[in-house]
């Protein structure tokens, strides 16, 4: 199994998880055109996709989905609450041609209903989803499993729960949100107070500080790769997120040292493939 983060940040997220025979696109938050371009860049043409998995309805995870559907022929794996919320948009005009009805038409007969708490399979990859605290209908993280290799992906969650800590144990790689620096977010002059409160809340986004705390105190050290994702372009700096994560790993008690490599994902280009 191998994966690449095609792009990640407040402007759009997409991850590609592949086995020899199966390719799963996780989220379609960039424009369809950009997703197709990046799939080509990492060597997986769009006609080789076996499924698109949507974690939640927010625009930076599902905004490119409708247009992308015209270029691919694979199904969309989505939970019922997320699908309903995806259609419940006020974007577009008031006539019958609104964005909402376009979305329904694009997904008609092309979805596979999943549940955020029940295992499912796409091709030959098993997915073990788990709920995460976020202000969306039904957001989830998951562990993708194949031949004893386990890769977890979770973005858009306000705090580390016991369930998340449990699900991240024993993983070979973890793609995890490191959204903002608390100080940079507080000082950010572009965001309104309300938006800052939303981001910092228990159902908002995970900070560098929260992730560091988990890396230092709760991470089991198994994962050889931790990829930092969903970095805010306004309230974070890649080098700062990396420094905080690497420092946290070094602060672990000597008995629990971890040989873990930190990789930063970018909003503009895919990461290298990380494989097992
Ligand atoms: Zn997001
Ligand atoms: Zn979100």
């Amino acid at each position: 199994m191998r994966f690449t983060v095609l792009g990640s940040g407040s402007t759009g997220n997409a991850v590609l998880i592949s086995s020899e025979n199966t390719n799963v696109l996780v989220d379609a938050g960039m424009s369809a055109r950009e997703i197709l371009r990046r799939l080509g860049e990492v060597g997986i043409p769009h006609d080789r996709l076996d499924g698109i998995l949507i974690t939640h309805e927010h625009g930076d995870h599902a905004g490119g989905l409708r247009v992308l559907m015209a270029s691919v022929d694979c199904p969309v794996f989505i939970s019922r609450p997320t699908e309903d919320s995806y259609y419940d948009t006020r974007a577009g005009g008031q006539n019958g041609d609104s964005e909402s009805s376009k979305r329904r038409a694009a997904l008609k007969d092309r979805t596979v209903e999943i549940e955020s708490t029940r295992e499912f399979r796409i091709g030959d990859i098993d997915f073990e989803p788990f709920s995460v605290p976020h202000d969306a209908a039904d957001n989830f993280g998951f562990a993708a499993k194949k031949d004893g290799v386990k890769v977890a992906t979770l973005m858009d969650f306000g705090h580390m729960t016991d369930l998340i800590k449990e699900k991240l144990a024993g993983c070979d790689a973890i793609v995890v949100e490191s959204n903002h620096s608390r100080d940079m977010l507080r000082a950010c002059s572009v965001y309104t107070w309300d938006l800052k409160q939303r981001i910092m809340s228990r159902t908002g986004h995970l900070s560098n500080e929260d992730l560091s705390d988990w890396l230092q105190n709760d991470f089991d050290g198994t994962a050889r790769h931790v990829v930092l994702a969903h970095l805010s372009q306004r309230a974070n700096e890649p080098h700062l997120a990396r420094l905080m994560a690497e420092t946290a790993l070094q602060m672990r008690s000597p008995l629990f040292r971890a040989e873990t490599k930190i990789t930063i994902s970018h909003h503009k280009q895919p990461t290298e493939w990380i494989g097992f």
Side-chain angles (χ1 to χ4, degrees):
M1 192 156 61
R2 59 179 189 155
F3 69 93
T4 163
V5 178
L6 293 177
S8 187
S10 331
T11 49
N13 297 276
V15 179
L16 182 64
I17 299 181
S18 298
S19 68
E20 245 172 70
N21 304 310
T22 301
N23 297 297
V24 178
L25 178 70
V26 180
D27 288 339
M30 295 166 298
S31 71
R33 185 191 167 129
E34 194 57 28
I35 291 170
L36 293 170
R37 191 184 71 73
R38 293 187 200 194
L39 284 170
E41 194 179 327
V42 301
I44 303 291
H46 59 273
D47 57 4
R48 285 182 54 201
L49 285 182
D50 297 281
I52 299 171
L53 174 60
I54 298 295
T55 60
H56 67 297
E57 71 278 13
H58 288 161
D60 59 323
H61 296 261
L65 181 63
R66 174 174 68 74
V67 177
L68 184 65
M69 293 310 286
S71 300
V72 300
D73 54 13
C74 64
V76 176
F77 293 75
I78 190 167
S79 78
R80 172 58 48 196
T82 295
E83 187 178 347
D84 288 344
S85 301
Y86 175 68
Y87 298 143
D88 184 20
T89 174
R90 276 180 286 274
Q94 297 300 312
N95 53 29
D97 219 16
S98 68
E99 175 65 19
S100 180
S101 54
K102 283 183 191 164
R103 288 181 174 190
R104 284 178 194 277
L107 261 56
K108 190 172 186 312
D109 300 327
R110 297 190 62 185
T111 57
V112 175
E113 188 176 337
I114 55 160
E115 289 174 34
S116 59
T117 51
R118 184 188 292 242
E119 285 210 30
F120 56 93
R121 173 173 265 234
I122 304 176
D124 59 10
I125 303 177
D126 289 312
F127 289 83
E128 182 184 335
F130 51 89
S131 294
V132 296
H134 188 52
D135 49 12
D138 186 31
N139 189 27
F140 61 87
F142 60 84
K145 301 183 290 188
K146 166 94 173 89
D147 296 337
V149 173
K150 196 167 151 188
V151 173
T153 297
L154 70 165
M155 297 182 202
D156 296 58
F157 64 112
H159 66 282
M160 281 281 180
T161 63
D162 288 340
L163 176 69
I164 293 174
K165 289 176 187 174
E166 181 193 314
K167 296 291 184 181
L168 293 183
C171 289
D172 297 281
I174 298 170
V175 179
V176 62
E177 169 160 62
S178 192
N179 182 263
H180 59 275
S181 142
R182 281 186 198 149
D183 285 342
M184 283 183 70
L185 182 63
R186 277 189 208 101
C188 176
S189 58
V190 189
Y191 289 164
T192 62
W193 172 247
D194 280 354
L195 181 57
K196 289 182 187 181
Q197 287 298 106
R198 209 213 110 201
I199 295 169
M200 281 191 284
S201 81
R202 303 271 289 168
T203 55
H205 290 273
L206 202 77
S207 66
N208 296 348
E209 289 82 357
D210 290 329
L211 184 69
S212 293
D213 185 56
W214 171 75
L215 281 170
Q216 186 178 337
N217 301 309
D218 293 304
F219 171 46
D220 69 353
T222 311
R224 280 192 284 139
H225 295 274
V226 169
V227 181
L228 307 186
H230 216 300
L231 270 67
S232 165
Q233 282 142 246
R234 294 219 164 94
N236 209 348
E237 288 285 347
H239 69 268
L240 180 62
R242 175 191 289 282
L243 183 70
M244 288 198 65
E246 289 179 345
T247 305
L249 287 172
Q250 285 160 14
M251 301 276 282
R252 290 163 65 83
S253 72
L255 269 179
F256 298 98
R257 283 269 179 265
E259 301 288 322
T260 302
K261 183 172 185 261
I262 299 289
T263 299
I264 304 278
S265 60
H266 297 274
H267 65 282
K268 280 200 167 132
Q269 79 261 5
T271 62
E272 299 279 293
W273 281 103
I274 295 175
F276 299 91

